[in-house]
Amino acid sequence: MIGPAVGPRRVLVTGGAGLIGSHLIDALLDRGETVFCLDTYETGDPGNLSHHADNPRLTLLERDVTDPPHLDVDQIYNLACPASPPQYQRDPIRTLRTSVLGAMAMLDLAHRTHARILQASTSEVYGDPFVHPQPESYNGNVNPIGPRACYDEGKRCAETLFFDYRRVHGVSIKVARIFNTYGPRMQSNDGRVVTNFIIQALRGTPLTIYGDGLQTRSLCYVEDTVDGLIRLMESPDDVTGPVNIGNPTELTMLELAEQIIGLTGSSSPVLHMPLPADDPRQRRPDISLARDLMGWCPNVALQDGLRATILYLRQTPVLKLAGCSPVLA
Ligand code: UDP
């Protein structure tokens, strides 16, 4: 983790009760900052921040990102948006509104209060990429009318807004393209591959592999992602990004299933199911830019991160009720 902050600042984190947001708030409070967490709690959970209940430097605001609070802040991390495909596709128009109008509302707030603002963009801007691994200079291959477009195009439009607010209004912006992130505090029912496989392995039910399972992802542990976001926020003003934040260790979904079966000591089989539309075939970040500009690279090995996530998910009510108790290998 990077060193202590220069002094206490007022920091707004939208989507602060989610996976990345709550770990980010832990780190910001550790650095002595005063934090405002804005969240609707639809995919985030205030329980993720309950260990700060007595901390006067944290304020929880239950509201939508498109309805900004009247606050004077020094920094804004704009993370608000469902990130799991089943969740962001459930109400696609709402997802677009959150991505686009939410970004605009936060940029207006940053402009008004002279705050620096960081956008949680995504590897989804690369779509189903023809260039591998993906550098920031690659403009991507996104289907603008498919079921993933509400998220992909919403996040692409948000990037456009960020750079136009910089060009037109001189707002101090940072854009991070975050690749798949996992860790404790993932929702057990978010439908993502890491949670699905872990819950299935712990229950002893089949691990659902979509398609042939040869599609790849690169999974970054949440603490590494948070370290990258803070480094980017604290970087010199001319470092705007976009900067990839992700772990370059790439693996197929079949390999991920094998690892999770091994770590949980489960005897679950795998079950192949249809591949969702527009599912990207491969995904791996080129992180040279993050390394050069911010001295950042991920430190947590996949096995260690998965162990911590399995330990966390074993405690979730959904498994406790089902009486599942496989031990960690
Ligand atoms: N996937 C899978 N089984 C599942 C859930 C997901 O094989 O139970 C696959 C999915 O088709 C995709 C990859 O795992 O190829 C990652 O999916 P996830 O939803 O976690 O994130 P994405 O990177 O697609 O946004």
Side-chain angles (χ1 to χ4, degrees), residues 88-110:
Y88 69 63
Q89 289 173 29
R90 200 163 293 144
D91 188 348
I93 297 169
R94 176 95 191 273
T95 299
L96 274 164
R97 186 180 291 130
T98 300
S99 296
V100 178
L101 300 186
M104 206 179 254
M106 286 303 134
L107 283 161
D108 283 332
L109 179 64

Side-chain angles (χ1 to χ4, degrees), residues 85 124 148 180 191-193 196-197 208-210 215 217 253 275-276 279 283:
E124 291 290 321
R148 295 176 81 103
N180 296 60
R192 312 199 75 160
V193 70
N196 276 7
F197 283 1
T208 50
I209 309 255
Y210 300 163
Q215 70 270 39
R217 292 294 185 273
M253 295 307 94
L275 188 69
D279 200 277
R283 198 45 83 57

Side-chain angles (χ1 to χ4, degrees), residues 83-86 88 122-124 148 151-152 179-180 186 190-197 200 207-211 213 215-217 219 253-254 256 271 273-276 278-281 283:
S84 148
Y88 69 63
T122 168
S123 56
E124 291 290 321
R148 295 176 81 103
Y151 185 74
D152 302 8
F179 284 63
N180 296 60
M186 291 185 91
D190 70 0
R192 312 199 75 160
V193 70
V194 171
T195 33
N196 276 7
F197 283 1
Q200 290 159 347
L207 271 62
T208 50
I209 309 255
Y210 300 163
Q215 70 270 39
T216 66
R217 292 294 185 273
L219 302 172
M253 295 307 94
L254 272 175
L256 178 65
L271 173 70
M273 294 179 66
L275 188 69
D278 294 335
D279 200 277
R281 192 74 201 147
R283 198 45 83 57

